[in-house]
Amino acid sequence: MTGPSVADRVSRLRTEFDRSFAEPARTVGADSVELLAIGVGGRPYALRLAQASGVHPDRPVTALPTPVPALLGVAGFAGTVVPVYDLAALLGHPIPERPRWLVLTSGTPPLALAFHQLDHHLRVPVTDVVAGSIGDGGPQAYLQGLVRLPDGNRPIVDVPATRALVHQLAGHRPDSEESS
Amino acid sequence: MGGLQGEAVVGARVTALVFHAGPLYCAFPLDEVVETMRPLQTRPLAGTPPYVRGLSILRGMPSPVVDVTHLLTGEPGEISRYVAVRAGRGVVACATGPVLGVQEVEVEPAEGPTAALSGVVSKALIAAVGRMETEPLVLLRGIRTVPDEVWEAAGSTGAAA
């Protein structure tokens, strides 16, 4: 995979950070939403930061024998074994490349979603987020709304919907203890 | 917080942002400091004192940039950080050497020890003096040395923006 080197990315991030001091101060409040811009199977998506409890690169994942192609295996997080699902496979465009990043989702039961690229963290006005379902079913059911960004629109992966759907895939019946 | 209001009291402990300005250890009371950053793009202004580097855009507002080393020693200093401080008419970016961090510094009022520094720095700048291990430390009071014409240039730049 070719792309910008680590040094190039560090330089770009540093420049962006320095430039941010010239921008008018912004307050974080109910009028903005924090997102992670991610690459999944070569396509751009976003995740709500509030629905994630951690992002981890290069975490060992132990494969399991499973009939569910999207289930990559399990990973350990603070002593808890967590199932890891390939987000690209869930969204209907799997690629052979192994996802490097895991996002540990907030809510119960624990769930980790694997994706290929972490693009950046961003805070956008709520007016830049278009709510609503992207589609009626299939892979679109994992998506809820999209965010308008200068480099294009990104569908937003909805963690609660994803949790419910992967548990259906695994034949798991949720109980009343579970929450998003 | 030390609560230093222009003049330090004898033996006062002040929470301050400590930095290098050329050969000097300097500090601003923390309640005057807004933030620190790497140097931003600065546009020179003709006809200003040599210690005024020009104008930078800070948080969307044109702000004067003062070379603290030049102001204190008369010689331009190596600049590695801008420290934004509250001044009378707005925020001033103070171009400094490395920022060493936030520390409690023990200071004495300026009158006595400042005599040794007279001619090197303007007493109007100094709230108090202290020390960092074996080196003297100068606690600066709010930067009031930005000429009016620089503020006016900043204002007109802001109005034009």
Side-chain angles (χ1 to χ4, degrees):
Chain A
M1 179 173 155
T2 58
S5 68
V6 171
D8 290 341
R9 289 196 70 195
V10 168
S11 174
R12 181 176 59 81
L13 290 168
R14 175 177 161 142
T15 302
E16 285 175 5
F17 176 75
D18 287 347
R19 278 193 193 135
S20 72
F21 287 96
E23 294 168 4
R26 287 173 293 180
T27 54
V28 183
D31 55 351
S32 63
V33 58
E34 293 196 82
L35 299 167
L36 284 177
I38 61 175
V40 181
R43 302 185 194 197
Y45 288 93
L47 275 169
R48 289 178 189 271
L49 200 61
Q51 297 178 348
S53 60
V55 178
H56 307 267
D58 305 317
R59 197 88 172 189
V61 177
T62 305
L64 296 175
T66 172
V68 181
L71 178 59
L72 294 177
V74 293
F77 292 92
T80 305
V81 176
V82 178
V84 178
Y85 281 80
D86 180 354
L87 201 44
L90 292 174
L91 292 168
H93 39 80
I95 61 173
E97 186 189 334
R98 185 91 177 164
R100 183 189 168 201
W101 295 89
L102 296 186
V103 58
L104 183 62
T105 64
S106 52
T108 54
L111 169 70
L113 299 171
F115 59 93
H116 294 90
Q117 191 172 311
L118 179 61
D119 294 332
H120 43 265
H121 161 243
L122 46 105
R123 184 181 301 128
V124 297
V126 287
T127 50
D128 287 354
V129 176
V130 180
S133 299
I134 303 273
D136 294 333
Q140 306 284 19
Y142 297 98
L143 307 175
Q144 189 68 239
L146 57 83
V147 56
R148 295 196 196 99
L149 295 175
D151 58 353
N153 297 341
R154 287 176 180 254
I156 299 173
V157 177
D158 185 62
V159 166
T162 304
R163 175 178 286 106
L165 289 161
V166 299
H167 287 164
Q168 279 180 23
L169 282 177
H172 173 78
R173 187 174 297 168
D175 59 37
S176 57
E177 295 287 303
E178 297 178 2
S179 69
S180 300
Chain B
M1 197 59 78
L4 191 92
Q5 296 296 328
E7 300 295 333
V9 295
V10 175
R13 290 187 71 80
V14 179
T15 305
L17 184 82
V18 180
F19 58 91
H20 274 297
L24 297 171
Y25 281 102
C26 297
F28 280 117
L30 195 60
D31 54 7
E32 290 188 11
V33 175
V34 180
E35 58 189 340
T36 73
M37 67 212 75
R38 279 186 287 267
L40 301 178
Q41 185 183 14
T42 303
R43 296 158 186 81
L45 271 181
T48 56
Y51 57 80
V52 177
R53 298 190 80 228
L55 291 177
S56 265
I57 302 296
L58 274 188
R59 300 299 181 193
M61 296 299 293
S63 304
V65 180
V66 171
D67 180 342
V68 177
T69 310
H70 206 159
L71 182 63
L72 296 178
T73 69
E75 298 290 331
E78 190 172 325
I79 290 161
S80 59
R81 285 290 183 275
Y82 280 8
V83 180
V85 296
R86 295 180 187 89
R89 293 177 59 171
V91 171
V92 173
C94 293
T96 72
V99 170
L100 304 177
V102 174
Q103 298 185 27
E104 289 251 314
V105 294
E106 193 152 343
V107 294
E108 299 292 335
E111 284 65 25
T114 308
L117 300 169
S118 61
V120 181
V121 295
S122 162
K123 185 183 160 186
L125 275 174
I126 299 176
V129 292
R131 64 182 175 85
M132 284 285 292
E133 295 171 353
T134 59
E135 294 288 327
L137 176 142
V138 179
L139 184 71
L140 303 174
R141 57 163 58 97
I143 293 282
R144 300 186 183 95
T145 55
V146 178
D148 284 346
E149 53 268 28
V150 176
W151 285 114
E152 282 152 18
S156 62
T157 307

